[in-house]
């Protein structure tokens, strides 16, 4: 089986707000998004992908595709893996106390 090669990597910041009564808590986390590619001569196989889409805290494969070169017959697979970090508390405020400009 051919090996996966990392072709791109980026870090994104996700945020979410949770409101309990009048108190709003803002959470943030880093999410690493990696893109991989591999070439196989035997065709594509999704057998080694255990998860396409998943829970918000799980490492998950969000995209998995392939293309076949019509001349050589080689198959190129592409996948995107999302690795979220732990949510951390970023801020807390009381709803209604903030001014909107």
């Amino acid at each position: 089986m051919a090996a996966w090669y990392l072709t791109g990597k980026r870090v994104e910041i996700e945020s979410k707000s949770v409101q309990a009564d009048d108190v709003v808590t803002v959470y943030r986390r880093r999410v690493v998004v990696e893109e991989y590619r591999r070439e196989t001569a035997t065709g594509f196989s999704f057998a080694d992908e255990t998860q396409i889409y998943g829970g918000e805290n799980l490492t998950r494969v969000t995209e998995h595709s392939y293309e076949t070169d019509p001349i050589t017959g080689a198959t190129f697979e592409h996948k995107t893996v999302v690795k979220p970090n732990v949510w951390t508390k970023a801020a807390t405020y009381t709803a209604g106390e903030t001014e909107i400009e």
Side-chain angles (χ1 to χ4, degrees):
M1 176 173 272
W4 286 100
Y5 295 99
L6 182 66
T7 59
K9 183 176 184 176
R10 67 183 184 276
V11 176
E12 298 177 355
I13 303 297
E14 288 185 347
S15 64
K16 70 177 180 179
S17 299
V18 177
Q19 184 169 352
D21 297 323
D22 289 342
V23 177
V24 179
T25 305
V26 179
Y27 295 92
R28 290 197 179 109
R29 71 175 174 182
R30 288 177 357 122
V31 177
V32 178
V33 180
E34 298 175 340
E35 295 175 1
Y36 292 91
R37 178 183 175 177
R38 74 176 171 183
E39 179 181 352
T40 61
T42 59
F44 68 95
S45 171
F46 295 114
D48 63 339
E49 300 308 325
T50 58
Q51 186 175 41
I52 295 182
Y53 303 108
E56 77 173 43
N57 295 320
L58 300 175
T59 296
R60 59 196 183 274
V61 176
T62 59
E63 183 270 335
H64 192 170
S65 61
Y66 72 97
E67 59 185 294
T68 302
D69 186 315
I71 297 171
T72 64
T75 300
F76 299 95
E77 288 185 85
H78 307 274
K79 73 176 177 179
T80 302
V81 178
V82 176
K83 298 177 180 179
N85 238 336
V86 178
W87 288 104
T88 57
K89 188 176 182 179
T92 302
Y93 62 91
T94 304
E97 288 186 1
T98 59
E99 294 182 18
I100 299 174
E101 297 181 15

